[in-house]
């Protein structure tokens, strides 16, 4: 994620870090080429393009804007929902730490450390990295979760069994158990929500339809502009293509928020935040350092 | 569901899998035919169409885009809500497994297996397949649920009675019972939500009104374009029809997300996920295999 | 409610069941008449209308579309919220049945039957039918609820007192009571939500403003189209009026979802579903029949 | 609030009750005057205005529509959230009454009456009327709440202490206490939500920006229309101004839903509904009368 | 935050307090300069700009409006969510005060005062002020929270341990503890939500793309308007730039709602409200004064 709030005037002119431009360069060049061809045709054989007129393309362009705005909203909402889910994970981890703060350290610490493993495992799972290794940084390898269909969930189950064992041993009362279990359910919810976003892309047919219409539109537009605008035609054609392709590419990035694109969520930094909170609550005083952005990009 | 994230440039050119094109071929051909007729009339009797002008059609087209965008949002939200409901089912199943993990296996396993039956039954019910057979794969046939007005719900009631029996036998305390019951209520909510989406289509009058306006618009548009664009008229007319009919057809598919269309939700795969989680928690070690996409399509 | 999913091509051509057309016939005819008058004036005194131009009307038309789309969303959301509320009622009834399934029949049955009375009473109340009679089909007439300011709510209070009595008699423990009470609170929420939708229409000033602007626009439009389109003017004018008046009329229907219009919610069928679930759980084996749609319309 | 569902054709023609027209008469007259001046200039010195053209104004007008639609949605949502909050208050009051229905009357009645005082106090607080007097209609004046920074909240605290006292006296068990407390938290939430809406207006800069743009646009538009439309120019200019100013004024009314404007929420009637429910539950049989709308306006 | 509800006609003309104008003065002047250059070129070499036409710019302008409207909605929602979070904090604080009202003062007061410290710490944290000093105004400095990675959260943990200690000392029963803990979880949620908004800006690439397109559009527009409008061109160009840059700048302010801009949330005033509520409940009778707006601006 790029940690800059608002582009300044200077950024608008020259910022490249965080710009979507590099990723849409190819189609933009194609549109530019089409514009030049259109201009040349307009010079060589003006009567060919003469009947073309911008009006019907206004109609198509606006319809397209409306539909792209919808897809954009959908993609952004997936990104923001991903962020909200991780926010809820941070909250649940802190509340769990608070609710176990009066337990004896020997009882609370293993639970908190295993939860840190759960968090690391979830991030690895979402980024398709080594899930088991990530969990094992905090939790002892255990036949029960390393072999499970979903190791991260199995680790959470281990925490749940730990809580249940405390209740059975009367270290906590039944109500206290249900209070802790509420946080674990919340974490299971977060995992389920993240997996839902990851496993269910924006309907492919939808993206395909919009991409095709956008490409067709941007390639036809210069031909429709040349009869009226002549050599000016490439300017608005380029501006339109820049906005449409840019939004499209940005939507693609945001729609899959758990990857490692520049605009994706900083899972590593958030995992670290939770680790620090949990390990501090478990009594550790040497915490792993906060992850800082590297050239404005937080990973 | 089509499990591809973002169409590449190559896909935009040639992908047919996942394209909505085959399903809107007929009306597209009708529009093409109308375009050709319009061009011919424009050639044969230019004065007939001469007064027509694209401007008022811009107005209609944009209004139509705005209204179609609304219907599209509604359809998409139904699809996404369906997915969220199944996500909540996955979460609730996992939490139930976690919360029964310290029970004796002989106590927990029947509950978990019956829950797997509930899940299979819900999917079959939503896809109008053999509900009782689907449940019976995991749960013993029982007079109480096979004859109920809603077998899937009756199976959930059986699980609830099982929990209650554990509580009455003091195997779990009252609070633990209420914690388990929370998950069952969540599952009942999921079933109710899915049945609501299935039983309550987007208002038919709404779809009819938009379809009619869209057809009339796409058939009239070429006639309005011919006076100005001449032989160019079919291009924008086709592009508009492609976008409008495509979005409409896609909305139809998404609005009923539990069917077997290419863009529908992969109920079978999600049922399998839950089965694997529940059966693993019940102590089974030979789990049914994960369902893989077949040619990008997950069922 | 009309239980048809998607209009086929045939429906688009000839369906009348479910069409909004009959209800907007009068204003449509008025617009047609205005169009003809405009054409005649355009023929008789072309210079009168000559300066008129479609452009400013495009502006008005699009602004109007945007505002109508907003009102439409509001109306649709009311309809869908009404459906969601009844869905929650179905869920709560089923969960209550599940949570009382291990009680002795003599204890559970009166509660379940009284709840069926609550459901029937709520539907009657929302449709302004005989509320007390509807309740009395399932619950014994009782001074306490027949005379209450809100009989349906008073019946729910009777169920609550029944649960409390079970708790006081130690038939259920305190936690079990709180679990049942959660469902009753959910039902009270549903009742409150439905009464809110019924009692609070979309702001009248809003509807009035939009209706007035839409009428003025549709009556002026043909005059603005005639100078350019001549005899073609009535076609787009009619199409615009059809879409605008149709959406407006549909919004009016959806905004009050508990009535008996074709597009209103099938309260009777949903009450029956709940009755069947509750009576089956109460041990009845002869259930009232499911209500089937009559000519595609479910009541 | 105006309790009329849908304007009939007759209302569209002549309704004044509920029309926003009287409140936007002044700016409308200013626009009319500007239109006449524009027409006169167009007659006297046609070359002055000749280069003006409606096209760029279409662009401004549509952008403005989009932004106004956003502000409108925000204002409407505030109004509807206000209504939802009061609906939740009604629900919570009824649930509280249900949950105390088996207590002895001498125990329950003071709590229910004090809650009626809370409701009346909240309405008075939101309407900036005499809060303490409103509460005192139902609750005995008490040093603890009359001097509190927030008397309405202090009254709710008094109810909470009453519940707690019942629990300490073993009249209700701990679970029952937590069930009652849930309703009180809900009511505190409602109060907080209402105070949030009241204390946090739509960002002033936002309204100012839109008002200024709308005014500038509506005053410039007739000058841009005159060259083409001549004497017809005032018609579309007036229609546009009517729609824009009307929506703006309506948004202003809705954005502050707790006042006494025609479209504001009927707090007095809702307070009365709750009073009747609570007093009936407290055993009173002579209830204050339902508040009826006065000339379609419910206060 | 500016505490004015609705701009009057006078405000529209002359208000500067709360106007976004000063912050967009520079780009507006640039656009004005570009307009003048365009007019001069149009006079000196009319044939240069002659082929330019406003139509394609209408298309770009409207697409831009649609996308800006989306960004605006996102920014506004962040602001409003920030306000809602603080509203929930107020509610939770009041509910906590109510739920501890029957405890002995010596038991409740330290908890309430530490909560006031939590609130002050959260505001300082969000505004990047001295967090530890803000907390220490109400809570005794304590090794456990002053050294924690997140002092504000650590203070909340201290309150949680206080509640737990009361439960262990049987001053409150287990249920009462869970009721209090619910409020603390709510407060942890609020903190997490605020930190989420603060730490996760609107995707920078998105803002950059829109800013660039808006700048390019506003600079090109006057050149496209000059051929038709001549000396009139600067008027609509300025109006468009005013609306676009204004909305953009306002979105930037709202998207980071916890700062000290004129339109940001009045954290100081809200902290004071909570302090007054909590300290009054803790038995203090000399409360810090309500913070009043200073020249319409509440801090």
């Amino acid at each position: 994620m790029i940690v800059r709030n608002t582009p300044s005037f200077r950024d608008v002119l020259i910022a490249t870090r965080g710009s979507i431009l590099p990723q849409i360069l190819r189609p933009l060049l194609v549109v530019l080429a089409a514009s030049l061809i259109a201009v040349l045709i307009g010079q060589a054989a003006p009567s060919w393009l003469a009947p073309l007129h911008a009006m019907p393309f206004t109609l198509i362009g606006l319809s397209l804007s409306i539909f792209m705005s919808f897809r954009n909203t959908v993609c952004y909402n997936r990104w923001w929902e991903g962020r909200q889910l991780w926010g809820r994970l941070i909250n649940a981890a802190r509340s769990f730490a608070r609710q176990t703060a009066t337990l004896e350290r020997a009882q609370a610490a293993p639970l908190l450390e295993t939860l840190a493993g759960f968090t690391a495992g979830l991030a690895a799972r979402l980024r398709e990295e080594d899930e088991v290794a990530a969990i094992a940084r905090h939790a002892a390898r255990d036949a029960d979760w390393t072999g499970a269909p979903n190791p991260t969930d199995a680790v959470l189950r281990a925490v749940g069994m730990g809580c249940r064992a405390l209740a059975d041993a009367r270290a906590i009362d039944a109500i206290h158990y249900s209070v802790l279990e509420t946080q674990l359910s919340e974490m299971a919810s977060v995992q389920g929500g993240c997996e839902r976003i990851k496993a269910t892309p924006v309907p492919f047919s939808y993206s395909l339809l919009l991409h095709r219409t956008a490409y067709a539109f941007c390639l036809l537009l210069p031909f429709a502009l040349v009869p009226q605008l002549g050599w000016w035609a490439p300017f608005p054609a380029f501006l339109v293509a820049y906005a449409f392709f840019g939004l499209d590419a940005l939507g693609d990035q945001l729609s899959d928020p758990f990857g490692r694109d520049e605009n994706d969520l900083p899972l590593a930094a958030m995992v670290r935040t939770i680790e620090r909170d949990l390990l501090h609550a478990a009594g550790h005083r040497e915490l792993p350092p906060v992850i800082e952005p590297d050239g404005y990009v937080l990973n």
Side-chain angles (χ1 to χ4, degrees), chain A:
Chain A
M1 198 184 61
I2 303 169
V3 284
R4 303 171 74 174
N5 237 327
T6 305
S8 67
F9 186 70
R10 218 182 111 89
D11 291 335
V12 169
L13 286 181
I14 60 164
T16 56
R17 191 91 217 196
S19 172
I20 201 75
L21 201 59
Q23 302 182 40
I24 56 171
L25 213 56
R26 265 211 330 214
L28 276 185
L29 291 178
V30 172
V31 168
L32 263 190
S35 301
L36 296 179
I37 293 172
V39 169
L40 292 176
I41 293 180
Q43 302 279 325
S47 66
W48 267 33
L49 297 178
L52 272 173
H53 193 261
M55 171 84 74
F57 289 85
T58 304
L59 163 61
I60 305 177
L62 291 186
S63 306
L64 200 55
S65 304
I66 294 171
F67 301 139
M68 285 184 66
S69 165
F70 163 66
R71 178 167 177 271
N72 216 45
T73 306
V74 165
C75 292
Y76 175 82
N77 286 348
R78 290 167 62 92
W79 180 82
W80 190 235
E81 191 190 354
R83 181 61 186 82
Q84 284 177 313
L85 287 167
W86 274 83
R88 283 167 53 191
L89 187 55
I90 296 177
N91 298 348
R94 285 182 187 162
S95 286
F96 191 92
R98 186 178 65 249
Q99 290 159 355
T100 54
T102 51
L103 291 182
E104 285 173 35
R105 183 155 298 176
Q107 291 171 329
L111 295 178
L112 294 166
E113 287 162 11
T114 314
L115 269 189
F118 166 77
T119 310
L122 179 56
R125 188 176 176 81
L126 293 173
R127 288 197 160 164
E128 292 170 18
E129 295 166 355
D130 187 345
E131 189 177 351
V132 168
I135 299 172
R137 278 196 288 128
H138 294 289
R141 279 179 193 269
D142 173 327
D144 215 52
W145 62 263
T146 47
N150 189 326
T152 298
D153 177 53
V155 165
L156 193 64
R157 208 185 305 155
V159 180
M161 291 172 76
C163 294
R164 196 59 243 170
L166 287 179
D168 290 340
R170 307 270 171 221
I172 57 176
D173 59 35
I175 299 286
H176 199 165
Y177 163 71
S178 79
V179 166
L180 294 179
E181 181 54 46
T182 301
Q183 304 304 335
L184 299 185
S185 287
E186 176 78 358
M187 292 183 200
S189 252
V190 168
Q191 178 178 1
C194 291
E195 289 179 7
R196 165 168 52 80
I197 290 176
K198 182 166 179 58
T200 312
V202 176
F204 179 76
S205 306
Y206 205 96
S207 302
L208 189 63
L209 179 66
L210 283 186
H211 276 64
R212 278 185 174 161
T213 315
Y215 271 78
F217 173 70
C218 287
L219 287 176
L220 282 177
L221 184 62
F223 294 89
L225 293 178
V226 154
Q228 248 182 324
L229 302 194
W231 274 103
W232 289 97
F235 290 86
F238 181 84
L239 200 56
V240 166
Y242 172 64
F244 278 23
F245 292 155
L247 279 168
D248 230 16
L250 202 49
D252 286 344
Q253 280 198 8
L254 295 183
S255 76
D256 180 25
F258 301 125
R260 288 186 171 277
D261 286 329
E262 261 187 353
N263 287 294
D264 285 346
L265 294 173
L267 292 199
M270 289 192 287
V271 166
R272 183 57 54 85
T273 300
I274 299 178
E275 281 176 348
R276 284 168 55 88
D277 285 347
L278 288 174
L279 295 181
H280 184 265
H284 297 259
R285 283 298 169 268
E286 303 213 343
L287 303 176
V290 168
I291 296 181
E292 297 290 348
D294 172 20
Y296 293 123
V297 176
L298 196 61
N299 182 20

